Every structure is written in C-alpha cells, then in structure tokens.
Amino acid sequence: LGSDAAAPVWLALLALPAAVLRGQAPLAVDLVLLLAVPAAGLSAYLSTAGILSSRWLRCWAAAAYALLPALVVAVGTGRIGSALVAVLLPPLGRSAARLLGADPPGARPAARGGGRRRAWGTALLLAVVTAFAPRSCWPSLPPSWCGTPGRAC
C-alpha cells in the first residue's frame, strides 16, 4: 500500500479538522469543501471593511467573489487547495496592502503602516496560501528581492 509520490503540504493543515472530527478525514474534506463558498464570501466581506463604506456594496462584492466560477468549479471538482486559497486570498491581499502602506481612510495611527506583527501575519498567510497552492508564491518574489519596504531596490 502507498506510493513513492510526495504527499501534498496542505495534508498536515487538513489534519486539524480531521482530528477535531475524531479522525474522520473524509468528513473533514466534505466540510471544508462545503464551507469554502460561504467562508470565501465572509472573508471578502470582512476584508473590504475599510475600503467600501456601504454595507450593500460590500455584500454585493462578497457575493460576487464567493460565486466566482473558479471557486465554484474548484469546490465542484474537489480541489481543496484552490478552494482554500480563495478563502485566504482577500485577507492576504488586505494584509499585504496595509503592510506596504495602503491604509484605509480613517485608520488609527497605531494601525497605519507596516510593523513587525503585520509582516509576520502577512508572511504566515502567504505561507499557508503557498502550502495549498505552491504556484501562488510567485507574487512574493519581487518584494523579497527589494529587501525592506522602505528601501529602494
């Protein structure tokens, strides 16, 4: 039994919901895929909080994002990696934008700009996204060539 092919990296991250469900991995996979579309909508809604002021506009944007054909096809075909990347992409984009100084209007002075905590949080989100979709790490390469955000390349 088994094979010599390497296991996907996200398998270790999927072990947590499987452990909560007392070792029922198929049920964990089903729950992750079932909750991917609402979770993607919720993450998009929460990520646009400082950008869009109208609740109705935020709801429409979140619904449009959650019902993207790429996400629906990923859930329909059982692609866990693509489905969870769609859930984590809005918080990653917002965190990266705030790290680079694109603060929403009216942000608290303590929350403006990038700090160590925001950099670590963005790096952790990027690591989890890269674990689920390894080809998604290419946008992080040019900023890593530049060094720190405040210095010129």
Side-chain angles (χ1 to χ4, degrees), residues 5-138:
V9 178
W10 53 262
L11 198 59
L13 296 173
L14 191 63
L16 182 65
V20 170
L21 296 170
R22 289 187 266 160
Q24 295 187 358
L27 181 60
V29 169
D30 289 344
L31 282 176
V32 165
L33 288 174
L34 182 67
L35 296 175
V37 172
L42 182 65
S43 72
Y45 180 80
L46 295 175
S47 295
T48 57
I51 302 167
L52 302 174
S53 59
S54 171
R55 273 195 186 159
W56 286 105
L57 191 56
R58 286 174 55 201
C59 285
W60 275 105
Y65 179 76
L67 296 175
L68 281 174
L71 177 59
V72 174
V73 168
V75 169
T77 57
R79 296 181 182 159
I80 299 172
S82 300
L84 287 177
V85 164
V87 172
L88 295 174
L89 208 54
L92 176 64
R94 180 180 171 120
S95 182
R98 292 193 71 181
L99 177 68
L100 296 174
D103 296 322
R108 295 186 323 260
R112 287 192 178 140
R116 282 190 181 162
R117 290 181 71 183
R118 186 165 313 277
W120 279 100
T122 305
L124 180 65
L125 274 171
L126 184 63
V128 172
V129 165
T130 305
F132 284 105
R135 293 184 184 177
S136 65
C137 70
W138 65 267

